[in-house]
Amino acid sequence: MIPSRNSLAFWHLLAIITITFWGTSFVSTKVLLNHGFSAVQIFSLRFAITYLILLAASHKQFRSQNWKHELILFISGITGCTLYFWTENTALSFSPSSNVALIICANPLLILILGSIFYKSERLGKRQVLGCLVTFVGMVLVVLNGKFVLKLSPVGDLLACSAGVMWAIYSLVVKQLNGKYNSLFITRKMFFYGTLMSIPALFIEARGDVSKVLDIPWQNFMEPVVAFNFLCLTVCCSLFGYLIWNNVLKQLGTVLASNYGYVAPLITMITAAIALGERITPIAIVGAAAIIVGMLLAEFKRKA
């Protein structure tokens, strides 16, 4: 059964909403970092609380149908949650944010290539490929925002590349579970493994010192700005973000849905301009227009 155009429009809208959540997450993460939380503490707490909420909402089924599916869920959790956030946040400590954003936001291009290789159903028509490329160019212009200077940082840039690869693996691997389980179960299992694997990350960050692992500034949650931003990260970005996104991947296809990842820098740019007073250059405006044009081109599926 071919989904109706109205139905597809609904999922395109949800994709935009999800990317909007994720595009504003940088500001919320920055707020928590400025209030004494480490990057690993932030994503570990996010994963744990998100899992507990999902567990309360869905707890009738705990195991998948077989060990193969359980392995896929484990890989999805460790790549799409733990390793992605770990490598991305660590990369920011070595490389300029423009480098990291540019490398990670090239994810859709990587997914386009890998998806076309491994899944026949994910191969796009010429118009869609053109749309992806136009959107990619627009994303580059938005990320650079008129500053055409990139400083090479081998360690940070390699970590950023690793983050991109992790997200691509998650996006393509989780596709194998489409139609076998509902998105609530898949998302809950992902965050279970994401939470489980964040424990070693906490110990590595603390260099094995248990006291440092437990040294979380809980008292800072009493500040409204901290509580609000953590709530945004947990509920909007993690809970609803992944829950909706796993459905979007199922309905639109991994490659086409992932193309919305190019919009994230645009959302971040607008949010930073409003919340942080950052300047938007004419080059970034041209990039924003290219992103919109590319997305419109990519929406059209090739004829059978």
Side-chain angles (χ1 to χ4, degrees), residues 200-278:
L202 285 169
F203 275 93
I204 291 173
E205 181 185 54
R207 297 182 179 179
D209 189 335
V210 178
S211 62
K212 289 184 179 180
V213 172
L214 301 176
D215 188 22
I216 298 174
W218 299 106
Q219 69 279 1
N220 290 350
F221 282 111
M222 299 300 292
E223 298 181 45
V225 66
V226 173
F228 173 76
N229 281 281
F230 183 76
L231 192 64
C232 287
L233 286 173
T234 303
V235 177
C236 296
C237 300
S238 292
L239 180 61
F240 290 122
Y242 276 80
L243 196 57
I244 294 173
W245 192 249
N246 283 335
N247 272 301
V248 168
L249 290 175
K250 185 187 302 183
Q251 298 296 327
L252 299 183
T254 302
V255 172
L256 186 56
S258 296
N259 201 39
Y260 278 99
Y262 289 136
V263 182
L266 174 59
I267 301 298
T268 302
M269 179 185 70
I270 296 172
T271 304
I274 296 172
L276 305 177
E278 293 187 4

Side-chain angles (χ1 to χ4, degrees), residues 14 18 44 53 64 71 81 102 121 129 150 152 202 217 224 233 238-239 243 250 265:
L14 287 182
T18 305
S44 298
I53 295 173
S64 53
L71 178 61
C81 294
L102 191 58
S121 62
V129 172
L150 289 178
L152 293 178
L202 285 169
L233 286 173
S238 292
L239 180 61
L243 196 57
K250 185 187 302 183

Side-chain angles (χ1 to χ4, degrees), residues 50-117:
T50 301
Y51 171 70
L52 291 176
I53 295 173
L54 290 169
L55 183 63
S58 173
H59 47 265
K60 291 184 178 180
Q61 183 180 2
F62 282 90
R63 291 195 295 181
S64 53
Q65 297 171 5
N66 53 59
W67 285 107
K68 179 184 177 181
H69 291 173
E70 198 70 27
L71 178 61
I72 292 173
L73 289 166
F74 172 76
I75 294 173
S76 300
I78 194 173
T79 55
C81 294
T82 311
L83 291 178
Y84 173 75
F85 282 100
W86 197 359
T87 51
E88 180 191 59
N89 292 343
T90 306
L92 286 169
S93 65
F94 289 99
S95 294
S97 57
S98 57
N99 285 42
V100 177
L102 191 58
I103 294 170
I104 291 178
C105 287
N107 284 352
L109 198 58
L110 178 61
I111 293 172
L112 168 64
I113 295 170
L114 295 179
S116 299
I117 293 174

